[in-house]
Amino acid sequence: MSCRRFFSIPVLSVILVMGLVYYITLFVFIDDWVGLRSSAGKLNALVFTFLASLCFFSLSICVLLDPGRVPSSYAPDVESSSWSGSNNGTEARKCDKCVAYKPLRTHHCRVCRRCVLKMDHHCVWINNCVGYANYKAFFLLVFYASVACIYSTVLLVCCVFKNAESYAGNVPLKTFMVACGVFMIGLSITLGTLLGWHIYLIAHNMTTIEHYDSKRALWLARKSGQSYRHQFDLGVYKNITSVLGSNIIKWLCPTFTRNTEDGINFSASRDS
C-alpha cells in the first residue's frame, strides 16, 4: 500500500467532489426539505452518511491496494495444453517491456510500468490500475457513488418542490439550486452509465481490454457462420461470484474476497 497515491490532482478532486456532494445534500437539500433536527431529517442524513462512508472506504481500497503483481517466480506450464478442472492450458506469453512471462488476462500498464493481473484499465481518478485484486472495490465504488448521487438528486427534487415559492423570488438561490440540479443529474447519468457498463462486463466475465479484443473474434465467428462465446464466460452467476465472491452476504462489502481463482489461473468455458 502506498499513501502517496492519494496526493494526485485527480484523486484529490474526487475527494473534493465527495465532500461537496455530502455537504450540499445534508446542509442544503435535507435541511431545507424536512430539517436536520427532525426524525425524517436525521434518518435521511444517517443513510446518506452511510453511503458516503462506503464510497470513501471503497475509494481508499482502490487507491491503496495493489491491483495484482505477477509473481517473480511465475513460469508458464508448457506441459498443460488441455482444459482441466478449474485451470486452463496456458500458452507462453511474454511481456517485451518487463522481459518476463505473463499469465493469461495479464497486461502491461504503460503508466505503472509493469504487468497487472487481470488488468481492466488504468484509472487516473484512483491513480492506480484496476485489476484482479481491486476490481471488486472499484465496482462497489461506482455502485455506491451512483446510488448516493441518485439519492441526493431525489432529495434535491423534494427540496425544490417544497420550497418552490420561496425560491421563485430569490434569483441567486434559484440559480444555485438549478446549478446543483444540473451537476447532480449529470453526475448521476455519468456514474449510472459506468455502473451499467461494468455490470455488463461482470455478467460476461470480461475486462474492458478483453471486451475490445473480443470484437474481432466475434466478427470472425459471425463471418464464418459460427457462434462466439467469451473464453472465460461461465454463466452469469459464476461470473458474478468470480468477482464479488461466493458469499452473497459479502457481495456489497468493498474488501477483497478471495475465491478459487488466484489471478493467474482462471476457469474457462469448454464451448468458447
Side-chain angles (χ1 to χ4, degrees):
M1 294 187 178
S2 177
C3 293
R4 289 178 296 178
R5 292 201 189 106
F6 274 107
F7 299 101
S8 71
I9 294 177
V11 175
L12 293 176
S13 298
V14 171
I15 296 174
L16 180 63
V17 169
M18 282 184 174
L20 176 64
V21 171
Y22 180 78
Y23 180 84
I24 62 175
T25 300
L26 261 67
F27 300 104
V28 178
F29 304 160
I30 296 178
D31 197 26
D32 283 1
W33 177 38
V34 292
L36 281 175
R37 294 186 178 182
S38 65
S39 298
K42 290 178 181 178
L43 178 61
N44 280 284
L46 181 64
V47 172
F48 194 81
T49 299
F50 180 66
L51 286 173
S53 300
L54 287 172
C55 282
F56 185 74
F57 183 50
S58 299
L59 174 67
S60 300
I61 294 174
C62 288
V63 174
L64 297 175
L65 193 63
D66 191 296
R69 188 180 297 271
V70 180
S72 57
S73 59
Y74 171 77
D77 185 3
V78 294
E79 294 182 357
S80 176
S81 57
S82 60
W83 307 113
S84 59
S86 63
N87 299 331
N88 57 284
T90 307
E91 61 181 50
R93 298 169 68 245
K94 199 166 188 177
C95 176
D96 296 330
K97 297 180 178 63
C98 295
V99 194
Y101 288 110
K102 58 182 180 179
L104 285 173
R105 313 188 81 178
T106 298
H107 297 276
H108 186 89
C109 176
R110 291 176 294 179
V111 180
C112 297
R113 297 181 181 179
R114 67 180 179 86
C115 286
V116 177
L117 297 175
K118 196 183 177 185
M119 179 178 172
D120 187 86
H121 68 287
H122 183 91
C123 181
V124 296
W125 301 108
I126 63 173
N127 195 22
N128 197 6
C129 268
V130 177
Y132 168 72
N134 65 349
Y135 182 75
K136 178 182 179 180
F138 176 80
F139 173 75
L140 290 178
L141 168 63
V142 177
F143 172 76
Y144 286 126
S146 300
V147 173
C149 285
I150 294 172
Y151 186 21
S152 179
T153 303
V154 172
L155 292 173
L156 167 63
V157 172
C158 293
C159 176
V160 170
F161 271 105
K162 181 184 178 182
N163 302 289
E165 294 182 1
S166 60
Y167 290 161
N170 192 327
V171 177
L173 186 56
K174 184 179 180 180
T175 303
F176 172 75
M177 296 304 289
V178 170
C180 286
V182 172
F183 177 71
M184 292 310 306
I185 291 173
L187 201 57
S188 298
I189 292 174
T190 301
L191 289 170
T193 303
L194 184 61
L195 176 63
W197 167 246
H198 281 281
I199 289 175
Y200 168 81
L201 291 178
I202 290 177
H204 292 81
N205 202 358
M206 282 186 182
T207 63
T208 300
I209 295 173
E210 289 169 352
H211 170 76
Y212 290 108
D213 287 345
S214 67
K215 284 187 175 182
R216 176 172 171 77
L218 177 61
W219 177 78
L220 290 172
R222 287 179 176 175
K223 187 178 181 181
S224 59
Q226 298 177 346
S227 60
Y228 171 78
R229 184 178 181 181
H230 179 54
Q231 180 180 358
F232 302 103
D233 188 353
L234 305 173
V236 176
Y237 180 74
K238 287 186 177 180
N239 293 341
I240 292 173
T241 56
S242 70
V243 174
L244 302 183
S246 56
N247 190 337
I248 299 179
I249 299 176
K250 296 181 180 180
W251 277 7
L252 296 181
C253 179
T255 53
F256 178 56
T257 304
R258 295 196 175 275
N259 47 49
T260 54
E261 296 175 346
D262 56 5
I264 296 177
N265 301 296
F266 296 92
S267 303
S269 172
R270 290 177 180 271
D271 59 348
S272 59

